[in-house]
Amino acid sequence: MKITIVAGARPNFIKIAPIIKAIQKQQQCNENIHYRLIHTGQHYDKNLSDTFFEELNIPKPDANLEVKSGSQAVQTAAIMVAFEKELLDNPTDLVLVVGDVTSTMACSIVAKKSNIKVAHVEAGIRSYDMTMPEEINRLVTDSITDYFFTTTVWASENLRKAGVSEDKIFFVGNVMIDTLLSKRSQFKAPDFWNDFKLESNQYFVLTLHRPANVDNAENLLELLSEITQSANGMPVLFPIHPRTAKVLMESDFKSSNLTIIEPLGYLEFNYLVENARCVITDSGGITEETTVMGIPCMTLRDNTERPETIELGTNELLGTNPKAIRPAMEKLFNNQWKKGTIPEKWDGKAAERIVEHLVTLK
Ligand code: UDP
């Protein structure tokens, strides 16, 4: 079987790493499984792309479509045109896409229209918020997927409700957590740890990149101001996404306990998370990682496609109103934050389960 694996953006790289490793392991006893890795080039900054290939030992892609940035439509179109050529030049039996980025949706459409089966890893998660580009990507991808690999029972249930037949749904667990568990012993303190005099449990990590939080400068500044003022004077480390940096650069916001840094590599970022008092974020993947590491997490969104991080994990949804931050901080500093448990099958073996299913597909 020939599998074409697609990855385009930072969270994708973290998800494909264990899948490729599991395929390589399978190849040792099964010479009928082959893969080709395609990087669409959706994320191309070194610290959103190359660093992850190096740190997570992902092989060099067989092709890079180099689509780079553009509006949603421009980027989707560029990926589709380039990926159609890729599939014509390199026929395959299955296209495997992960997550919910533009590349996920664009490549699954091209594959399906070329009569190639589509496997979606992290299928079935839903925020039911149609203002999120990711939700549209999830819905479109799942509407044409043939094999659905899910992270939770919630995700499988969403697919059943949408009419997907039981034999196409494989509840395998979470590949992002495969990466976290396999790399946890290699997490390393960033060089600035000593320079900033950071101490375990005595700082916050902040990440923001969703349009609802960052595209409006006034709203972003109000969030930053509430966070820094209610953090009990603790440093707030803010590895800044390029989208957020663009907006913040045009303001003169300053706060003595806010430290803006470049996006970090995986090993340094997760070292910071594992030792933080709390993480404040609007990312989806980070809420899964904090759940597994047992670190309190405040999510600045009105909804989530990952309810397990709230029902079982350490995550709480605060919404996007900056006024919700202070009461949550009080709860944290009064040691009233929930402890959480780890969702079923988030055990580091999801990718192996995926490959076990892939080899049985006709
Ligand atoms: N991450 C990282 N460095 C950073 C910020 C995030 O390595 O400076 C990792 C993080 O550990 C997680 C992933 O990037 O694995 C989340 O990516 P992102 O927030 O862009 O995507 P989302 O999960 O929201 O789709």
Side-chain angles (χ1 to χ4, degrees), residues 196-216:
F196 295 169
K197 299 193 171 51
L198 295 175
E199 283 174 55
S200 233
N201 214 20
Q202 299 299 321
Y203 62 88
F204 285 76
V205 173
L206 171 66
T207 82
L208 293 173
H209 69 280
R210 304 243 170 248
N213 285 325
V214 307
D215 283 2
N216 175 324

PDB file of all heavy atoms in Angstrom, residues 196-216:
ATOM      1  N   PHE A 196      16.248  35.300  32.550  1.00  0.00           N
ATOM      2  CA  PHE A 196      14.988  35.876  33.054  1.00  0.00           C
ATOM      3  C   PHE A 196      14.727  35.464  34.507  1.00  0.00           C
ATOM      4  O   PHE A 196      13.666  35.769  35.044  1.00  0.00           O
ATOM      5  CB  PHE A 196      13.790  35.428  32.193  1.00  0.00           C
ATOM      6  CG  PHE A 196      13.800  35.929  30.765  1.00  0.00           C
ATOM      7  CD1 PHE A 196      12.906  35.417  29.833  1.00  0.00           C
ATOM      8  CD2 PHE A 196      14.683  36.916  30.346  1.00  0.00           C
ATOM      9  CE1 PHE A 196      12.891  35.857  28.508  1.00  0.00           C
ATOM     10  CE2 PHE A 196      14.682  37.357  29.027  1.00  0.00           C
ATOM     11  CZ  PHE A 196      13.793  36.828  28.105  1.00  0.00           C
ATOM     12  N   LYS A 197      15.659  34.703  35.079  1.00  0.00           N
ATOM     13  CA  LYS A 197      15.520  34.223  36.476  1.00  0.00           C
ATOM     14  C   LYS A 197      14.179  33.511  36.693  1.00  0.00           C
ATOM     15  O   LYS A 197      13.451  33.776  37.647  1.00  0.00           O
ATOM     16  CB  LYS A 197      15.671  35.381  37.467  1.00  0.00           C
ATOM     17  CG  LYS A 197      17.030  36.065  37.394  1.00  0.00           C
ATOM     18  CD  LYS A 197      17.231  36.987  38.594  1.00  0.00           C
ATOM     19  CE  LYS A 197      18.626  37.538  38.712  1.00  0.00           C
ATOM     20  NZ  LYS A 197      19.180  38.174  37.523  1.00  0.00           N
ATOM     21  N   LEU A 198      13.853  32.602  35.754  1.00  0.00           N
ATOM     22  CA  LEU A 198      12.574  31.891  35.865  1.00  0.00           C
ATOM     23  C   LEU A 198      12.672  30.789  36.918  1.00  0.00           C
ATOM     24  O   LEU A 198      13.732  30.185  37.095  1.00  0.00           O
ATOM     25  CB  LEU A 198      12.205  31.280  34.510  1.00  0.00           C
ATOM     26  CG  LEU A 198      11.922  32.295  33.414  1.00  0.00           C
ATOM     27  CD1 LEU A 198      11.697  31.591  32.080  1.00  0.00           C
ATOM     28  CD2 LEU A 198      10.709  33.160  33.760  1.00  0.00           C
ATOM     29  N   GLU A 199      11.581  30.567  37.605  1.00  0.00           N
ATOM     30  CA  GLU A 199      11.522  29.491  38.595  1.00  0.00           C
ATOM     31  C   GLU A 199      10.276  28.676  38.335  1.00  0.00           C
ATOM     32  O   GLU A 199       9.217  29.228  38.013  1.00  0.00           O
ATOM     33  CB  GLU A 199      11.406  30.078  40.002  1.00  0.00           C
ATOM     34  CG  GLU A 199      12.679  30.624  40.563  1.00  0.00           C
ATOM     35  CD  GLU A 199      12.395  31.298  41.900  1.00  0.00           C
ATOM     36  OE1 GLU A 199      11.819  30.644  42.786  1.00  0.00           O
ATOM     37  OE2 GLU A 199      12.710  32.489  42.007  1.00  0.00           O
ATOM     38  N   SER A 200      10.408  27.375  38.538  1.00  0.00           N
ATOM     39  CA  SER A 200       9.294  26.457  38.341  1.00  0.00           C
ATOM     40  C   SER A 200       8.056  26.933  39.107  1.00  0.00           C
ATOM     41  O   SER A 200       8.186  27.354  40.260  1.00  0.00           O
ATOM     42  CB  SER A 200       9.703  25.103  38.898  1.00  0.00           C
ATOM     43  OG  SER A 200       9.520  24.153  37.941  1.00  0.00           O
ATOM     44  N   ASN A 201       6.893  26.885  38.434  1.00  0.00           N
ATOM     45  CA  ASN A 201       5.633  27.201  39.101  1.00  0.00           C
ATOM     46  C   ASN A 201       5.450  28.696  39.407  1.00  0.00           C
ATOM     47  O   ASN A 201       4.522  29.070  40.107  1.00  0.00           O
ATOM     48  CB  ASN A 201       5.573  26.397  40.419  1.00  0.00           C
ATOM     49  CG  ASN A 201       4.160  25.975  40.733  1.00  0.00           C
ATOM     50  OD1 ASN A 201       3.313  25.951  39.852  1.00  0.00           O
ATOM     51  ND2 ASN A 201       3.898  25.678  41.989  1.00  0.00           N
ATOM     52  N   GLN A 202       6.364  29.529  38.896  1.00  0.00           N
ATOM     53  CA  GLN A 202       6.333  30.958  39.247  1.00  0.00           C
ATOM     54  C   GLN A 202       6.211  31.852  38.009  1.00  0.00           C
ATOM     55  O   GLN A 202       6.716  32.965  38.001  1.00  0.00           O
ATOM     56  CB  GLN A 202       7.606  31.348  40.029  1.00  0.00           C
ATOM     57  CG  GLN A 202       7.790  30.616  41.357  1.00  0.00           C
ATOM     58  CD  GLN A 202       6.652  30.895  42.326  1.00  0.00           C
ATOM     59  OE1 GLN A 202       6.157  32.014  42.425  1.00  0.00           O
ATOM     60  NE2 GLN A 202       6.200  29.862  43.019  1.00  0.00           N
ATOM     61  N   TYR A 203       5.637  31.326  36.948  1.00  0.00           N
ATOM     62  CA  TYR A 203       5.430  32.154  35.743  1.00  0.00           C
ATOM     63  C   TYR A 203       4.260  31.575  34.944  1.00  0.00           C
ATOM     64  O   TYR A 203       3.831  30.429  35.185  1.00  0.00           O
ATOM     65  CB  TYR A 203       6.702  32.198  34.871  1.00  0.00           C
ATOM     66  CG  TYR A 203       7.099  30.844  34.347  1.00  0.00           C
ATOM     67  CD1 TYR A 203       6.583  30.358  33.149  1.00  0.00           C
ATOM     68  CD2 TYR A 203       7.975  30.034  35.063  1.00  0.00           C
ATOM     69  CE1 TYR A 203       6.926  29.100  32.686  1.00  0.00           C
ATOM     70  CE2 TYR A 203       8.322  28.774  34.608  1.00  0.00           C
ATOM     71  CZ  TYR A 203       7.785  28.316  33.420  1.00  0.00           C
ATOM     72  OH  TYR A 203       8.098  27.059  32.967  1.00  0.00           O
ATOM     73  N   PHE A 204       3.777  32.382  34.005  1.00  0.00           N
ATOM     74  CA  PHE A 204       2.697  31.954  33.106  1.00  0.00           C
ATOM     75  C   PHE A 204       3.250  31.792  31.695  1.00  0.00           C
ATOM     76  O   PHE A 204       4.201  32.472  31.316  1.00  0.00           O
ATOM     77  CB  PHE A 204       1.604  33.033  33.038  1.00  0.00           C
ATOM     78  CG  PHE A 204       0.740  33.087  34.252  1.00  0.00           C
ATOM     79  CD1 PHE A 204       1.200  33.655  35.436  1.00  0.00           C
ATOM     80  CD2 PHE A 204      -0.547  32.563  34.222  1.00  0.00           C
ATOM     81  CE1 PHE A 204       0.394  33.704  36.554  1.00  0.00           C
ATOM     82  CE2 PHE A 204      -1.358  32.600  35.339  1.00  0.00           C
ATOM     83  CZ  PHE A 204      -0.892  33.166  36.512  1.00  0.00           C
ATOM     84  N   VAL A 205       2.609  30.910  30.928  1.00  0.00           N
ATOM     85  CA  VAL A 205       2.881  30.843  29.482  1.00  0.00           C
ATOM     86  C   VAL A 205       1.600  31.282  28.782  1.00  0.00           C
ATOM     87  O   VAL A 205       0.503  30.835  29.149  1.00  0.00           O
ATOM     88  CB  VAL A 205       3.249  29.408  29.039  1.00  0.00           C
ATOM     89  CG1 VAL A 205       3.357  29.318  27.519  1.00  0.00           C
ATOM     90  CG2 VAL A 205       4.560  28.967  29.688  1.00  0.00           C
ATOM     91  N   LEU A 206       1.758  32.162  27.802  1.00  0.00           N
ATOM     92  CA  LEU A 206       0.603  32.682  27.065  1.00  0.00           C
ATOM     93  C   LEU A 206       0.793  32.437  25.570  1.00  0.00           C
ATOM     94  O   LEU A 206       1.879  32.707  25.036  1.00  0.00           O
ATOM     95  CB  LEU A 206       0.507  34.198  27.333  1.00  0.00           C
ATOM     96  CG  LEU A 206      -0.487  35.003  26.509  1.00  0.00           C
ATOM     97  CD1 LEU A 206      -1.937  34.602  26.820  1.00  0.00           C
ATOM     98  CD2 LEU A 206      -0.305  36.516  26.778  1.00  0.00           C
ATOM     99  N   THR A 207      -0.219  31.879  24.892  1.00  0.00           N
ATOM    100  CA  THR A 207      -0.179  31.852  23.419  1.00  0.00           C
ATOM    101  C   THR A 207      -1.541  32.292  22.888  1.00  0.00           C
ATOM    102  O   THR A 207      -2.573  31.886  23.419  1.00  0.00           O
ATOM    103  CB  THR A 207       0.140  30.448  22.817  1.00  0.00           C
ATOM    104  OG1 THR A 207      -1.051  29.654  22.776  1.00  0.00           O
ATOM    105  CG2 THR A 207       1.236  29.716  23.557  1.00  0.00           C
ATOM    106  N   LEU A 208      -1.511  33.130  21.876  1.00  0.00           N
ATOM    107  CA  LEU A 208      -2.752  33.620  21.251  1.00  0.00           C
ATOM    108  C   LEU A 208      -2.547  33.725  19.745  1.00  0.00           C
ATOM    109  O   LEU A 208      -1.573  34.330  19.310  1.00  0.00           O
ATOM    110  CB  LEU A 208      -3.094  35.021  21.772  1.00  0.00           C
ATOM    111  CG  LEU A 208      -3.477  35.169  23.252  1.00  0.00           C
ATOM    112  CD1 LEU A 208      -3.603  36.645  23.607  1.00  0.00           C
ATOM    113  CD2 LEU A 208      -4.800  34.455  23.551  1.00  0.00           C
ATOM    114  N   HIS A 209      -3.424  33.099  18.983  1.00  0.00           N
ATOM    115  CA  HIS A 209      -3.317  33.289  17.528  1.00  0.00           C
ATOM    116  C   HIS A 209      -4.651  33.256  16.797  1.00  0.00           C
ATOM    117  O   HIS A 209      -4.696  33.442  15.590  1.00  0.00           O
ATOM    118  CB  HIS A 209      -2.347  32.272  16.915  1.00  0.00           C
ATOM    119  CG  HIS A 209      -2.859  30.852  16.929  1.00  0.00           C
ATOM    120  ND1 HIS A 209      -2.804  30.062  18.031  1.00  0.00           N
ATOM    121  CD2 HIS A 209      -3.431  30.103  15.962  1.00  0.00           C
ATOM    122  CE1 HIS A 209      -3.314  28.869  17.757  1.00  0.00           C
ATOM    123  NE2 HIS A 209      -3.716  28.874  16.509  1.00  0.00           N
ATOM    124  N   ARG A 210      -5.766  33.044  17.520  1.00  0.00           N
ATOM    125  CA  ARG A 210      -7.058  32.965  16.818  1.00  0.00           C
ATOM    126  C   ARG A 210      -7.534  34.364  16.430  1.00  0.00           C
ATOM    127  O   ARG A 210      -7.438  35.306  17.238  1.00  0.00           O
ATOM    128  CB  ARG A 210      -8.128  32.339  17.706  1.00  0.00           C
ATOM    129  CG  ARG A 210      -7.757  31.000  18.204  1.00  0.00           C
ATOM    130  CD  ARG A 210      -8.673  29.892  17.711  1.00  0.00           C
ATOM    131  NE  ARG A 210      -8.077  28.644  18.058  1.00  0.00           N
ATOM    132  CZ  ARG A 210      -7.574  27.769  17.189  1.00  0.00           C
ATOM    133  NH1 ARG A 210      -7.659  27.994  15.893  1.00  0.00           N
ATOM    134  NH2 ARG A 210      -7.017  26.663  17.589  1.00  0.00           N
ATOM    135  N   PRO A 211      -8.088  34.490  15.209  1.00  0.00           N
ATOM    136  CA  PRO A 211      -8.568  35.790  14.748  1.00  0.00           C
ATOM    137  C   PRO A 211      -9.446  36.501  15.784  1.00  0.00           C
ATOM    138  O   PRO A 211      -9.302  37.698  16.004  1.00  0.00           O
ATOM    139  CB  PRO A 211      -9.374  35.439  13.489  1.00  0.00           C
ATOM    140  CG  PRO A 211      -8.789  34.146  13.000  1.00  0.00           C
ATOM    141  CD  PRO A 211      -8.250  33.429  14.208  1.00  0.00           C
ATOM    142  N   ALA A 212     -10.327  35.763  16.490  1.00  0.00           N
ATOM    143  CA  ALA A 212     -11.261  36.403  17.440  1.00  0.00           C
ATOM    144  C   ALA A 212     -10.514  37.138  18.550  1.00  0.00           C
ATOM    145  O   ALA A 212     -11.022  38.100  19.115  1.00  0.00           O
ATOM    146  CB  ALA A 212     -12.181  35.348  18.044  1.00  0.00           C
ATOM    147  N   ASN A 213      -9.305  36.688  18.884  1.00  0.00           N
ATOM    148  CA  ASN A 213      -8.544  37.342  19.953  1.00  0.00           C
ATOM    149  C   ASN A 213      -7.523  38.350  19.454  1.00  0.00           C
ATOM    150  O   ASN A 213      -7.210  39.306  20.165  1.00  0.00           O
ATOM    151  CB  ASN A 213      -7.801  36.291  20.788  1.00  0.00           C
ATOM    152  CG  ASN A 213      -8.739  35.534  21.702  1.00  0.00           C
ATOM    153  OD1 ASN A 213      -9.704  36.094  22.215  1.00  0.00           O
ATOM    154  ND2 ASN A 213      -8.478  34.262  21.894  1.00  0.00           N
ATOM    155  N   VAL A 214      -6.967  38.110  18.281  1.00  0.00           N
ATOM    156  CA  VAL A 214      -5.796  38.920  17.922  1.00  0.00           C
ATOM    157  C   VAL A 214      -6.013  39.906  16.777  1.00  0.00           C
ATOM    158  O   VAL A 214      -5.206  40.818  16.611  1.00  0.00           O
ATOM    159  CB  VAL A 214      -4.553  38.030  17.619  1.00  0.00           C
ATOM    160  CG1 VAL A 214      -4.299  37.068  18.765  1.00  0.00           C
ATOM    161  CG2 VAL A 214      -4.680  37.286  16.311  1.00  0.00           C
ATOM    162  N   ASP A 215      -7.056  39.720  15.981  1.00  0.00           N
ATOM    163  CA  ASP A 215      -7.169  40.593  14.810  1.00  0.00           C
ATOM    164  C   ASP A 215      -7.599  42.009  15.180  1.00  0.00           C
ATOM    165  O   ASP A 215      -7.284  42.964  14.471  1.00  0.00           O
ATOM    166  CB  ASP A 215      -8.114  39.985  13.756  1.00  0.00           C
ATOM    167  CG  ASP A 215      -7.416  38.863  12.984  1.00  0.00           C
ATOM    168  OD1 ASP A 215      -6.243  38.570  13.316  1.00  0.00           O
ATOM    169  OD2 ASP A 215      -8.024  38.286  12.069  1.00  0.00           O
ATOM    170  N   ASN A 216      -8.302  42.140  16.311  1.00  0.00           N
ATOM    171  CA  ASN A 216      -8.715  43.465  16.760  1.00  0.00           C
ATOM    172  C   ASN A 216      -7.736  43.929  17.845  1.00  0.00           C
ATOM    173  O   ASN A 216      -7.690  43.375  18.950  1.00  0.00           O
ATOM    174  CB  ASN A 216     -10.152  43.341  17.301  1.00  0.00           C
ATOM    175  CG  ASN A 216     -10.648  44.636  17.898  1.00  0.00           C
ATOM    176  OD1 ASN A 216      -9.895  45.391  18.510  1.00  0.00           O
ATOM    177  ND2 ASN A 216     -11.928  44.891  17.715  1.00  0.00           N
TER     178      ASN A 216
END
